């Protein structure tokens, strides 16, 4: 995007995507108490098995760990603004896989209710930006 400084808009987008993803991680570790969707890791693994019904159980469990790892890594990268384009594309593809899996396993309503399509689209939009003010990327660019 050119012609306008998107300093605060891109920062807001980075933070909104990140906080949303980290909230989902907090839920599966029981941090949201009565306001949780899963409430604990066992329930999250059970939910993951629903979404990955086409995988053997061991791969489904592995995908729960892998998704959680990426749902921590990408948001931290986005918050810090480190390798922001890579993190944004990774987030976009990760959420796209979630949205498709949810649509196939649970029907189209589930990813719409959880705004997974919107999150994926937002991450891909973020990836199209050329500059990331208020980021480690910006500091590294200035130092080179």
């Amino acid at each position: 995007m050119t012609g306008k400084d998107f300093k605060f808009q891109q920062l807001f987008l980075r933070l909104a995507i990140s906080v949303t993803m980290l909230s989902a991680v907090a839920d599966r570790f029981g941090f949201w108490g009565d306001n949780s969707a899963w409430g604990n890791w066992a329930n999250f693994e059970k939910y993951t098995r629903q979404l990955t019904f086409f995988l053997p159980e061991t791969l489904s469990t592995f995908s729960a760990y892998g998704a959680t790892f990426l749902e921590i890594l990408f948001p931290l990268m986005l918050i810090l603004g480190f390798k922001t384009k890579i993190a944004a594309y990774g987030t976009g593809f990760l959420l796209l896989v979630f949205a498709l899996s949810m649509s196939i396993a649970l029907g189209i309503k589930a990813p719409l209710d959880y705004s997974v399509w919107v999150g994926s689209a937002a991450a891909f939009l973020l990836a199209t930006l050329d500059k990331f003010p208020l980021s480690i990327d910006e500091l590294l660019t200035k130092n080179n």
Side-chain angles (χ1 to χ4, degrees):
M1 298 188 149
T2 59
K4 186 173 182 191
D5 183 12
F6 290 97
K7 179 189 254 182
F8 295 107
Q9 294 91 331
Q10 65 81 30
L11 178 62
F12 180 59
L13 189 53
R14 284 174 25 213
L15 293 175
I17 293 168
S18 298
V19 170
T20 301
M21 291 178 73
L22 291 172
S23 174
V25 172
D27 184 319
R28 68 193 68 152
F29 291 127
F31 295 146
W32 287 121
D34 292 338
N35 295 318
S36 66
W38 303 294
N40 60 53
W41 185 259
N43 288 340
F44 177 68
E45 279 188 10
K46 186 176 169 184
Y47 177 74
T48 302
R49 278 194 288 283
Q50 280 184 288
L51 299 185
T52 58
F53 62 90
F54 51 89
L55 294 175
E57 188 171 335
T58 54
L59 284 178
S60 179
T61 301
F62 177 77
S63 70
Y65 284 97
T68 300
F69 173 76
L70 293 174
E71 282 181 278
I72 294 169
L73 177 66
F74 291 147
L76 292 178
M77 290 172 69
L78 290 174
I79 288 168
L80 296 172
F82 179 69
K83 303 289 185 185
T84 309
K85 272 192 181 286
I86 293 169
Y89 276 120
T91 299
F93 283 115
L94 181 65
L95 292 175
L96 180 61
V97 168
F98 291 166
L100 291 170
S101 295
M102 291 171 78
S103 295
I104 293 166
L106 307 173
I108 192 65
K109 188 176 182 315
L112 292 173
D113 286 352
Y114 290 105
S115 301
V116 183
W117 294 108
V118 173
S120 177
F124 285 130
L125 180 63
L126 180 63
T128 66
L129 299 178
D130 296 320
K131 295 180 183 176
F132 301 98
L134 306 172
S135 69
I136 291 175
D137 291 341
E138 180 183 44
L139 291 173
L140 293 174
T141 302
K142 284 182 182 179
N143 289 337
N144 287 336

